[in-house]
Amino acid sequence: SESISRDKHDGSEFSSAAVRRVLCNLSPSIKVESDVPGVFAAVLKLKVKEIVETSKKIMSEWGDEGHIRQIHIREAYSRLKAEGKFLVPSSMKKPMFRS
């Protein structure tokens, strides 16, 4: 059942138009080239997959069942950040997740 669920999500992707809008909102003065949203979307998908897999591992460690909850995602992000898998700019004032 996990492989069926995984296959269903492997084909999903972030819309290039949506990614372009986000990138343009982040830095309106920079022109976003046509290939940038696709590359950014691919990296984003890998990072989301990494958070989900780590969240599932945490659920297993904690003996939790059911859906991934916010606490699992926060812990996964914290662990991945501690491992250096998420680079957070020093200029970023707000954390991605509140503790």
Side-chain angles (χ1 to χ4, degrees):
S1 67
E2 184 177 329
S3 63
I4 293 171
S5 176
R6 188 178 307 221
D7 291 341
K8 179 176 76 173
H9 296 294
D10 278 345
S12 63
E13 59 185 53
F14 292 96
S15 157
S16 289
V19 172
R20 178 180 296 282
R21 278 192 308 273
V22 169
L23 291 173
C24 288
N25 287 338
L26 289 173
S27 56
S29 62
I30 298 174
K31 183 180 185 233
V32 178
E33 298 294 329
S34 62
D35 59 341
V36 172
V39 172
F40 192 82
V43 172
L44 182 60
K45 182 177 177 180
L46 291 173
K47 289 299 177 184
V48 168
K49 185 175 181 179
E50 194 170 18
I51 288 177
V52 168
E53 287 175 355
T54 305
S55 296
K56 287 180 179 181
K57 179 181 170 189
I58 290 165
M59 285 179 65
S60 177
E61 289 173 7
W62 292 355
D64 292 344
E65 295 179 0
H67 297 288
I68 296 172
R69 296 190 319 262
Q70 195 173 27
I71 192 167
H72 303 124
I73 295 170
R74 284 186 184 139
E75 179 64 21
Y77 174 74
S78 294
R79 288 185 188 185
L80 292 169
K81 185 177 164 188
E83 292 173 11
K85 294 185 178 181
F86 276 90
L87 302 177
V88 180
S90 58
S91 63
M92 189 172 166
K93 294 180 182 174
K94 291 184 178 180
M96 185 180 287
F97 299 107
R98 294 182 199 164
S99 300

